[in-house]
Amino acid sequence: MSNDTQSKSGSANFLVQGSILAAAGIIVRFIGLLYKIPMTRALGNDGIGYYNTAYEIYNIGLILSSYSLPLAISKLIAARRIKGQMQDARRVFQSGLVFGLVSGGLMTCILLFGGDLIADVVYNSPSSALPLKVMAPTILIFSIMGVIRGYFQGLGTMIPTSVSQIIEQIVNAVISIAASFTFMIWFANRENPASYGAAGGTLGTLSGAAAAFIFLTILMMRYRKKNARELHQPQKVPVASWNQVYAALFLTMTPIVLSQFVYQLSGSVDNSMFGHIMEGKGLVEGQRQNLMGIYGGKYRLLSNVPVAIASSLGTSMIPSIVRSRVQKRHDEVQYKIRLTVKFNMLIAIPCAVGMGMLASPIMRLIFNDHTDLTANLMMLGAPAVVFFSLSTVTNAVLQGIDLMRKSVTHSAISLVIHTILVYFMLEHLNLGVYGLVIGNVTFALVVCILNWVSIGRALNYHQEVKTTFLLPLLAALLMGIGAVVIYKAVFAVISSNSMALLISVPIAMLIYGLLIILLKAVTAEELPDMPFGRKLLRLCRKLRLM
């Protein structure tokens, strides 16, 4: 088998694994959309605002303690398994469990006992403290669960992570809906029942994590029992000391933690600045959280759905790139990057265009929200889907080629620019929540540009522009125009928003798929390496499209 064939075969495998995780991510986000609809109606925009603020604080705690564990563990285990260092791989797993227990436990205590202070002083939202405290133990559970997920990812399989995420979200959805409604009734006579309702929502987060943890623990015990002989086979090189393993784990985790921390901090900075600046402009807590509920609970919730694909492909790409680099297959590394970025853009670009051009009908269908504000936020912020997808994938590339410090630096530079820009728009231009949306788009854009420069210099790599970006954009714009025309035509006949969307969206997807083939954005050589590509290639050849 030639090196080129091996390269393509390996790329196809990691893309398939990434697509499994991406499919799970889409299912998880879709379930998230479904349960957020009744939850939003139960809590109102202010209750969702408390929920989102608590979630922002929880996310920061998760990132600082254990969010990077799955990536770090998968990267370290993949590198050791390819060299046959099974005992070292086992020590990586065991050290990860200890690290997760300590860091996750410490952060859980900080949020439990310091939640009131953080919510009040930093975010100017004391009513967010209760839902934060309810959710805090989730960090400890996620810490241990993340190590198990990282272990399986290091083996090259994304199925355990995917299944556990779906289980987690299903339980989360059921408990969140039930507890939100129940708590709103039970505590209706309290001063701020929406805060208690938001705590019901975060109880679902805790319950979902616990369910996924139980599933993964059982799966891990069965796997280790079945593969006991392989896991304990001696290795040719000396076994690494515990100090060496902990040092490798710490050195791998630290740049990822800092990168993700800075990357996610933009949302917390927005939340904090918005709370303090808008208070100075006369908005009380309920009014501020109402706007933040629309921004975070509707716009960002929807725009993050396609980004789940980029996150999943990036997660699967890291151990795959590590294996190729260890084997010194530099052409294979470049092929994997090019294929991942292209496949990601083929999905992210039409999602952004579709969300922007059908913003109002989508918001009416999902949230029963007929306001211009919500639709305008989506139209203005739709490009963030493309930029966040790109920045997520390029961050994964930097992590895979041991340039994790670059991703930290780039996120920090972008955060500084973002903070100055958002402050100016809130304080001096009085753009309100629109300023947050513009800042969200520009933050991801700056990260993309800086990441591309570093990757190009490190690998002498240049992404092909025409078929990766320009042709998909052209196809997406034509698709969007077609979708709007079909939607308006159907709506004029039957006056049903949901039916007009259900008819126009599938037709628009078909138009986009045909245009991608006709414009030759995807070639017959590339298609087999993409998920379901071989079947699509056979179909295109039968229809004489390719």
Side-chain angles (χ1 to χ4, degrees):
M1 183 182 290
S2 68
N3 288 337
D4 184 59
T5 304
Q6 286 179 339
S7 169
K8 291 187 176 184
S9 175
S11 299
N13 179 63
F14 98 87
L15 255 189
V16 168
Q17 290 295 326
S19 298
I20 292 172
L21 195 58
I26 292 298
I27 293 171
V28 165
R29 298 297 174 98
F30 183 68
I31 296 172
L33 277 178
L34 290 181
Y35 86 79
K36 286 286 177 63
I37 296 170
M39 202 170 97
T40 300
R41 293 178 182 178
L43 302 179
N45 286 331
D46 52 345
I48 283 294
Y50 300 138
Y51 174 89
N52 285 332
T53 299
Y55 213 91
E56 287 281 358
I57 302 170
Y58 159 81
N59 264 336
I60 295 296
L62 187 64
I63 289 167
L64 288 175
S65 61
S66 56
Y67 185 83
S68 60
L69 271 171
L71 287 176
I73 295 293
S74 69
K75 184 176 180 179
L76 292 172
I77 286 180
R80 281 151 183 76
R81 281 181 60 84
I82 201 71
K83 297 177 182 178
Q85 299 172 353
M86 301 305 298
Q87 289 177 277
D88 285 356
R90 190 169 71 251
R91 286 199 168 190
V92 167
F93 174 72
Q94 292 169 345
S95 64
L97 290 176
V98 174
F99 189 95
L101 185 64
V102 173
S103 63
L106 179 62
M107 186 56 66
T108 294
C109 291
I110 290 174
L111 294 187
L112 279 174
F113 298 108
D116 289 300
L117 183 65
I118 296 170
D120 187 12
V121 176
V122 180
Y123 290 85
N124 199 21
S125 180
S127 299
S128 300
L130 179 61
L132 173 63
K133 291 180 181 179
V134 172
M135 188 162 45
T138 311
I139 292 180
L140 176 58
I141 297 173
F142 189 93
S143 300
I144 308 301
M145 182 168 61
V147 177
I148 302 175
R149 284 174 170 171
Y151 184 85
F152 283 115
Q153 290 168 17
L155 300 181
T157 174
M158 304 295 155
I159 295 176
T161 298
S162 302
V163 176
S164 67
Q165 285 178 343
I166 294 172
I167 292 172
E168 178 183 354
Q169 192 70 329
I170 290 173
V171 175
N172 183 3
V174 174
I175 301 298
S176 292
I177 295 171
S180 295
F181 277 97
T182 303
F183 283 20
M184 287 292 287
I185 296 172
W186 284 355
F187 301 102
N189 295 326
R190 297 295 178 94
E191 182 179 350
N192 193 349
S195 175
Y196 290 91
T202 56
L203 179 63
T205 306
L206 173 61
S207 304
F213 174 71
I214 293 170
F215 166 77
L216 284 170
T217 301
I218 295 171
L219 197 65
M220 189 69 189
M221 292 171 63
R222 292 182 62 182
Y223 172 80
R224 294 183 71 82
K225 183 178 180 181
K226 183 179 179 181
N227 298 275
R229 181 176 298 180
E230 178 190 352
L231 293 172
H232 290 85
Q233 67 181 4
Q235 61 186 46
K236 296 178 181 179
V237 298
V239 179
S241 68
W242 286 107
N243 287 339
Q244 289 174 322
V245 173
Y246 277 113
L249 181 61
F250 181 78
L251 291 174
T252 304
M253 280 188 60
T254 302
I256 301 175
V257 168
L258 292 175
S259 174
Q260 289 294 328
F261 173 68
V262 177
Y263 197 66
Q264 296 293 330
L265 193 60
S266 62
S268 295
V269 169
D270 289 349
N271 205 322
S272 180
M273 279 199 299
F274 191 81
H276 287 91
I277 293 175
M278 291 299 104
E279 182 185 36
K281 294 182 179 294
L283 269 68
V284 299
E285 184 185 12
Q287 292 173 315
R288 299 194 303 269
Q289 290 303 321
N290 184 289
L291 290 171
M292 289 303 299
I294 295 171
Y295 170 70
K298 294 178 181 177
Y299 159 67
R300 288 193 67 178
L301 178 67
L302 277 180
S303 63
N304 282 337
V305 172
V307 180
I309 297 174
S311 179
S312 302
L313 292 177
T315 298
S316 69
M317 181 168 56
I318 290 175
S320 180
I321 286 180
V322 169
R323 285 192 289 270
S324 298
R325 281 174 61 82
V326 168
Q327 295 168 341
K328 300 188 183 303
R329 296 178 177 175
H330 303 298
D331 290 341
E332 188 174 305
V333 171
Q334 293 208 6
Y335 183 79
K336 288 177 177 179
I337 295 170
R338 184 175 68 82
L339 197 65
T340 304
V341 172
K342 184 168 186 174
F343 180 66
N344 194 31
M345 288 299 96
L346 287 171
I347 297 172
I349 291 174
C351 285
V353 172
M355 285 181 172
M357 299 187 79
L358 292 174
S360 182
I362 290 172
M363 288 299 182
R364 294 205 301 271
L365 174 67
I366 296 177
F367 298 109
N368 194 29
D369 191 327
H370 296 258
T371 62
D372 291 336
L373 172 64
T374 310
N376 290 340
L377 292 183
M378 179 55 72
M379 285 188 285
L380 182 64
V385 171
V386 176
F387 300 141
F388 270 107
S389 296
L390 266 179
S391 59
T392 299
V393 169
T394 51
N395 272 337
V397 172
L398 291 173
Q399 291 165 13
I401 63 175
D402 295 325
L403 287 178
M404 293 172 285
R405 292 181 181 178
K406 291 289 186 181
S407 62
V408 178
T409 305
H410 299 165
S411 296
I413 293 171
S414 184
L415 180 62
V416 171
I417 297 172
H418 169 85
T419 303
I420 296 171
L421 181 63
V422 171
Y423 175 82
F424 184 77
M425 288 188 291
L426 293 178
E427 182 68 46
H428 299 291
L429 298 183
N430 294 317
L431 290 179
V433 73
Y434 289 105
L436 300 184
V437 174
I438 296 171
N440 190 52
V441 174
T442 55
F443 174 81
L445 175 60
V446 173
V447 173
C448 286
I449 294 170
L450 296 175
N451 284 357
W452 276 122
V453 172
S454 292
I455 293 170
R457 289 175 178 173
L459 300 176
N460 192 25
Y461 174 82
H462 301 283
Q463 183 73 32
E464 191 278 331
V465 174
K466 181 180 177 181
T467 62
T468 302
F469 301 104
L470 299 182
L471 292 181
L473 179 59
L474 175 60
L477 290 173
L478 294 173
M479 173 209 73
I481 294 170
V484 171
V485 171
I486 296 168
Y487 171 84
K488 289 184 175 180
V490 174
F491 188 81
V493 175
I494 60 177
S495 298
S496 171
N497 179 62
S498 57
M499 287 303 299
L501 274 177
L502 289 173
I503 292 172
S504 60
V505 170
I507 295 176
M509 292 170 63
L510 181 62
I511 292 172
Y512 176 74
L514 288 172
L515 287 172
I516 285 296
I517 300 299
L518 295 174
L519 293 172
K520 297 182 180 180
V522 178
T523 65
E525 289 75 24
E526 292 173 328
L527 201 54
D529 285 340
M530 296 183 179
F532 306 106
R534 295 183 185 277
K535 293 180 180 179
L536 289 172
L537 181 60
R538 286 196 295 269
L539 178 62
C540 289
R541 282 176 172 164
K542 284 181 180 179
L543 297 174
R544 297 184 180 181
L545 295 173
M546 183 174 285

